[in-house]
């Protein structure tokens, strides 16, 4: 997990960008201000509970020029990503998503032994492993040492570095260019957006394709998903904003798909701009849809704050009512997004006795800021709480199905977003 440095080191690394990370314009307009929050992946050990914990501003802005929704760089990225507690392989539905994607893209691009697939932020190799049985050469790029080690052990060539134009040039100098570049949930985490996209364009073969998945800003706004905002997540992307970035780097969006992952994502297909080629109709359709939702107008962004405050009040009203009735509440999951929700709403052990997670890396640790203990999933069977607050709400169907036996002692689930809702498993599975 993230190790905290001394205060002076923290201060010297505090780098606040003055301008928009896409177009450079001065940032003046607020999207939502979630106050001060700790780094959402900096889980705490028992020893650390007696020590001071750094909190950083979590204030999201919108660029008046290109409408990119973004967080200033309050924390140096090297500081965040070196040791990352998130192992992709611990989410069953995400592993399945990766497998389906690999078989689709392998056929669509006719990838073979002479191809090269590069994945940016390749995590523990959960995705690239699916190309190995077909003899397709792969390179993973993963700056977090601990997860990269797991990928290397699976036999996946992995470079423990941040991706940008410099690394792209070094790979090309080795005589290697990519037929396919995969960047799943990485673009939002990139502090220097233009350097990253320039590197991606440089590394592509002339007819190569890059696919990028990222949570869709339209869904964040529609469903009040403010908890997907955290310090590691610098940009909140619409297709309109991605389109603006593409044209600056000689890239073109040639296709786009809407996906159910992470609360609603886009998969964008990028290629180098070639005269005469026409993007699929999906691109114009989705751009038109975003304009219908008002994503081309500043007012749509500046009204988000009121909506987030309403979501917070509804969740707190439910939890206060349940605690007044003497009910016991536990959490399910300890994802990064859960920590934004807990800190912004002020939900600590006074509401939630403990939370559980399938990732053993987090067991015996505490959630940042709120210090809620994290235990193995079996702890729920022993404690038999009345309510279980599902923090990774994007996986709620999977979790409710896996945990439906809690109905045996009458437990119900609480889904916090977009509006606090109670789900009784007896009504679903009886
Ligand atoms: Zn801008």
């Amino acid at each position: 997990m993230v190790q905290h440095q001394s205060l002076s080191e923290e201060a010297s690394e505090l780098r606040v960008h003055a301008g928009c990370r896409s177009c450079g314009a001065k940032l003046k307009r607020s999207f939502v201000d979630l106050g001060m929050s700790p780094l959402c992946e900096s889980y705490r050990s028992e020893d650390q509970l007696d020590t001071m914990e750094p909190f950083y501003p979590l204030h999201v802005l919108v660029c008046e020029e290109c409408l990119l929704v973004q967080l200033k760089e309050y924390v140096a990225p090297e500081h965040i990503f070196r040791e990352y507690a998130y192992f992709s392989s611990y989410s069953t539905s995400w592993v399945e998503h990766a497998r389906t994607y690999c078989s689709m893209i392998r056929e669509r691009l006719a990838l073979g032994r002479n191809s090269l697939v590069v994945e940016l932020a390749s995590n523990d190799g959960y995705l690239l492993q699916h190309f190995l049985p077909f003899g397709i050469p792969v390179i993973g790029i993963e700056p977090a040492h601990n997860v990269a080690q797991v990928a290397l052990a699976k036999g996946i060539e992995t470079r423990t570095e941040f991706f940008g134009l410099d690394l792209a040039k070094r790979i090309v100098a080795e005589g290697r260019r990519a037929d396919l570049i995969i960047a799943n949930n990485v673009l939002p985490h990139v502090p220097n957006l233009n350097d990253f996209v320039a590197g991606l364009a440089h590394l592509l073969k002339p007819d190569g394709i890059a696919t990028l998945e990222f949570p869709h800003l339209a869904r964040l706004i529609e469903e009040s998903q403010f908890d997907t905002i955290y310090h590691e997540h610098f940009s909140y992307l619409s297709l309109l904003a991605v389109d603006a970035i593409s044209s600056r780097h000689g890239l073109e969006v040639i296709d786009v798909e809407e996906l159910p992952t992470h609360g609603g994502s886009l998969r964008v297909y990028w290629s180098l701009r070639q005269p005469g080629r026409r993007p699929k109709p999906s691109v114009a359709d989705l751009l038109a849809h975003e304009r219908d939702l008002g994503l081309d107008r500043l007012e749509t962004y500046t009204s988000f704050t009121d909506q987030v405050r309403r979501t917070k009040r509804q969740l707190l009203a439910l939890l206060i009512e349940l605690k007044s009735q003497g009910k016991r509440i536990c959490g399910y999951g300890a994802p990064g997004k859960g920590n934004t929700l807990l800190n912004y709403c002020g939900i600590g052990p006074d509401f939630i006795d403990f939370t559980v997670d399938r990732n053993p890396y987090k067991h015996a640790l505490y959630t940042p800021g709120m210090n809620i203990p994290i235990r193995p999933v079996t702890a729920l069977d022993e404690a038999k709480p009345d309510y279980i607050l599902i923090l990774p709400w994007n996986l709620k169907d999977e979790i409710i199905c896996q945990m439906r036996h809690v109905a045996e002692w009458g437990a119900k689930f609480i889904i916090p977003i977009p509006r606090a809702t109670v789900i009784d498993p007896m009504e679903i599975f009886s």
Side-chain angles (χ1 to χ4, degrees), residues 20 23 63 66:
C20 168
C23 75
C63 173
C66 72

Side-chain angles (χ1 to χ4, degrees), residues 290-305:
E290 289 192 347
R291 288 190 191 99
D292 288 344
L293 294 172
L295 294 183
D296 57 340
R297 294 192 301 277
L298 195 60
E299 319 74 273
T300 307
Y301 298 89
T302 51
S303 62
F304 186 60
T305 296

Side-chain angles (χ1 to χ4, degrees), residues 54 237 286:
L237 298 159
L286 195 67

Side-chain angles (χ1 to χ4, degrees), residues 273-295:
R273 190 176 291 279
Q274 287 171 9
R277 180 173 45 203
R278 287 190 148 192
K280 290 202 173 181
S282 57
V283 180
D285 290 350
L286 195 67
L287 288 171
H289 176 61
E290 289 192 347
R291 288 190 191 99
D292 288 344
L293 294 172
L295 294 183

Side-chain angles (χ1 to χ4, degrees), residues 314-388:
Q314 284 164 347
L315 176 59
L316 283 176
L318 173 66
L319 296 180
I320 290 168
E321 172 62 23
L322 294 176
K323 291 310 284 183
S324 306
Q325 293 171 12
K327 302 295 186 191
R328 285 193 69 195
I329 310 171
C330 290
Y332 186 100
K337 71 169 74 164
N339 295 321
T340 293
L341 181 99
L342 297 170
N343 280 285
Y344 174 64
C345 296
I347 300 167
D350 44 355
F351 286 107
I352 308 285
D353 298 353
F354 60 84
T355 190
V356 299
D357 202 278
R358 292 178 71 192
N359 180 351
Y361 198 80
K362 294 179 181 172
H363 294 164
L365 297 174
Y366 293 78
T367 66
M370 286 293 125
N371 294 340
I372 296 173
I374 305 170
R375 298 187 181 156
V377 177
T378 50
L380 288 175
D381 299 282
E382 291 154 32
K384 296 187 169 45
D386 302 298
Y387 289 86
I388 299 166

Side-chain angles (χ1 to χ4, degrees), residues 246-267:
S246 325
S247 42
R248 202 176 300 130
H249 296 281
L251 292 161
E252 185 173 29
V253 178
I254 55 165
D255 194 5
V256 62
E257 294 162 5
E258 289 187 85
L259 307 171
T261 47
H262 292 279
S265 296
L266 294 184
R267 177 185 289 149

Side-chain angles (χ1 to χ4, degrees), residues 99-115:
R99 201 186 58 73
T100 313
Y101 164 82
C102 289
S103 99
M104 178 281 290
I105 201 75
R106 190 169 51 78
E107 286 179 24
R108 180 165 167 168
L109 304 186
L111 298 171
R113 291 177 186 278
N114 297 320
S115 310

